[in-house]
Amino acid sequence: RWQGLIHAYKTFLPVTDETPLLTLNEGNTPLIHLPYLSAQMDIELYAKYEGANPTGSFKDRGMVMAVAKAKEAGRKVVICASTGNTSAAAAAYAARAGLKTIVVIPEGKIALGKLAQAMIYGADIVSIKGNFDEALNIVRKVAEKSEDIELVNSVNPYRIEGQKTAAFEIVDQLDGAPDVLAIPVGNAGNITAYWQGFNEYHEQKGTALPKMFGFQAEGASPIVQNKVIEQPETIATAIRIGNPASWQRADEARDLSGGLIDSVTDEEILAAYQLMTSKEGVFAEPASNASIAGLIKLHKQGKLQSGQKVVAVLTGNGLKDPQTAIDQVEQVPAVLDNDEEAIINYIERQ
Ligand SMILES: Cc1ncc(COP(=O)(O)O)c(/C=C/C(=O)C(=O)O)c1O
């Protein structure tokens, strides 16, 4: 029976006998083959579906570690800035661990599902007039001032430790490392964690090192443009970040792996978003589809070597952002009266 990440990977994690065995059974997420897109791009493509985690995103991997270690250290409160998924995961694991949660979110720029989670899990929510980067600056200052408060953004090393387990799972599931790992990049904690995970397996098990292909939204692409973006803008609100905390480690993952970090437009993200649901039956939130959009862009440019084994990380469940899904579908479903005749006629007209 799967008992979560601390149980599954304790020999790879900085846990001690005093570390509480916290879990919501995170991890062990599906690696879903994508036959339609594999044929379209002439590669062997899989999606690592992180939307199947307990709070619906990959953040659960890092948060179980960060919160368990905070509790071990006697903290009473966890705090984070978030575009949404970090706050949902922090609030869930802190509730489980009996700690309080404070989240600071950029006003109005958080998907509905994520806000609902932070609220119902019982977080104290502060909405600021600024963006994510400003929110992160605020929470770092607050955490420095108080012994009782633990900062659980991905500047907290335990977050990276927890998130690297996804790389382990992919190698175990594929029985070897993929040639390419495609991943959306916002604050750049996740690309950092995957690169660390692949390296640890390489050192301990001799498995290979994939090329890391990171993708940013064009309107929020500081690493691609090599400059801080003061006012990042993208429909993929999860990665609407202009000054990534792990910028330097993302550069290292790109350079040491012989990979790349590129950007995709909102149109390309939304096209991938719709393609994934209508052709593969896989529903992930817009930011997650930046990894698919990036692969499609590279393929169109003739830069995607055929025949490779590629894994695209789908970082969050599509249900996190129901408004974008509704906005994308032209016709609102016909609402017919409970009239058998009308319904049959409607269906025959399709
Ligand atoms: C769905 C989804 N996809 C990709 C990313 C980017 O990962 P990083 O490059 O490690 O930041 C995020 C990040 C979200 C937050 O940063 C937050 O929740 O505050 C995300 O929620």
Side-chain angles (χ1 to χ4, degrees):
R1 183 168 68 82
W2 182 259
Q3 298 172 63
L5 293 172
I6 293 177
H7 177 266
Y9 294 111
K10 66 168 71 76
T11 57
F12 287 88
L13 294 170
V15 293
T16 68
D17 295 344
E18 283 72 52
T19 311
L21 267 178
L22 180 65
T23 188
L24 285 167
N25 278 45
E26 60 291 322
N28 196 28
T29 56
L31 186 68
I32 306 171
H33 182 235
L34 301 178
Y36 176 82
L37 284 169
S38 294
Q40 291 291 311
M41 294 192 273
D42 191 22
I43 54 175
E44 188 181 332
L45 178 61
Y46 298 86
K48 182 62 172 166
Y49 192 66
E50 290 292 279
N53 278 298
T55 76
S57 87
F58 72 93
K59 302 286 184 181
D60 294 344
R61 294 181 185 273
M63 212 48 84
V64 67
M65 274 304 298
V67 173
K69 296 300 283 188
K71 187 169 172 73
E72 182 181 340
R75 300 283 188 273
K76 301 281 179 286
V77 181
V78 298
I79 190 168
C80 65
S82 179
T83 61
N85 283 320
T86 293
S87 60
Y93 282 91
R96 183 89 174 175
L99 305 182
K100 272 179 61 60
T101 309
I102 303 171
V103 304
V104 180
I105 54 173
E107 189 183 25
K109 293 287 176 187
I110 176 171
L112 216 50
K114 306 170 187 179
L115 181 61
Q117 287 178 294
M119 292 172 83
I120 199 71
Y121 281 129
D124 293 339
I125 300 171
V126 177
S127 169
I128 62 162
K129 294 244 171 307
N131 59 29
F132 170 86
D133 304 286
E134 287 152 327
L136 185 56
N137 286 335
I138 292 169
V139 298
R140 291 179 91 154
K141 289 197 186 77
V142 169
E144 271 157 25
K145 285 197 171 49
S146 162
E147 275 301 297
D148 283 342
I149 300 182
E150 185 72 35
L151 175 66
V152 291
N153 276 98
S154 52
V155 291
N156 179 324
Y158 295 125
R159 281 281 310 276
I160 306 301
E161 288 296 320
Q163 287 174 209
K164 74 186 181 186
T165 58
F168 300 158
E169 286 179 18
I170 287 172
V171 175
D172 292 340
Q173 288 167 313
L174 276 182
D175 196 17
D179 300 304
V180 170
L181 192 281
I183 186 167
V185 175
N187 217 15
N190 215 21
I191 189 171
T192 298
Y194 271 83
W195 182 237
Q196 184 175 322
F198 287 124
N199 274 279
E200 288 185 11
Y201 253 32
H202 174 68
E203 282 143 30
Q204 312 233 354
K205 301 185 164 200
T207 49
L209 292 171
K211 290 185 177 63
M212 304 297 281
F213 284 13
F215 296 102
Q216 301 204 293
E218 190 171 87
S221 55
I223 299 178
V224 179
Q225 299 183 51
N226 199 19
K227 68 176 175 31
V228 171
I229 306 299
E230 297 298 339
Q231 308 293 339
E233 276 308 339
T234 171
I235 195 166
T237 51
I239 53 175
R240 186 173 168 270
I241 295 172
N243 187 5
S246 301
W247 190 323
Q248 200 241 317
R249 292 187 69 183
D251 284 348
E252 282 164 18
R254 174 198 56 207
D255 299 339
L256 295 176
S257 73
L260 56 86
I261 296 182
D262 197 350
S263 63
V264 284
T265 64
D266 280 4
E267 293 69 29
E268 287 167 332
I269 288 172
L270 291 173
Y273 178 68
Q274 294 234 37
L275 202 57
M276 282 291 286
T277 45
S278 60
K279 295 290 187 189
E280 302 282 11
V282 178
F283 184 26
E285 68 172 283
S288 306
N289 286 284
S291 51
I292 300 292
L295 292 171
I296 292 171
K297 175 181 178 182
L298 292 177
H299 177 254
K300 278 184 186 148
Q301 293 173 339
K303 291 180 184 168
L304 196 58
Q305 194 186 325
S306 60
Q308 290 189 94
K309 207 172 275 188
V310 180
V311 172
V313 184
L314 299 184
T315 45
N317 196 299
L319 287 171
K320 292 274 190 166
D321 185 358
Q323 195 56 54
T324 298
I326 293 165
D327 293 346
Q328 288 314 306
V329 180
E330 280 80 42
Q331 94 280 2
V332 175
V335 179
L336 299 173
D337 299 336
N338 180 12
D339 170 344
E340 195 175 319
E341 184 75 18
I343 292 170
I344 289 167
N345 290 339
Y346 173 79
I347 290 165
E348 279 165 359
R349 279 201 309 278
Q350 297 316 303

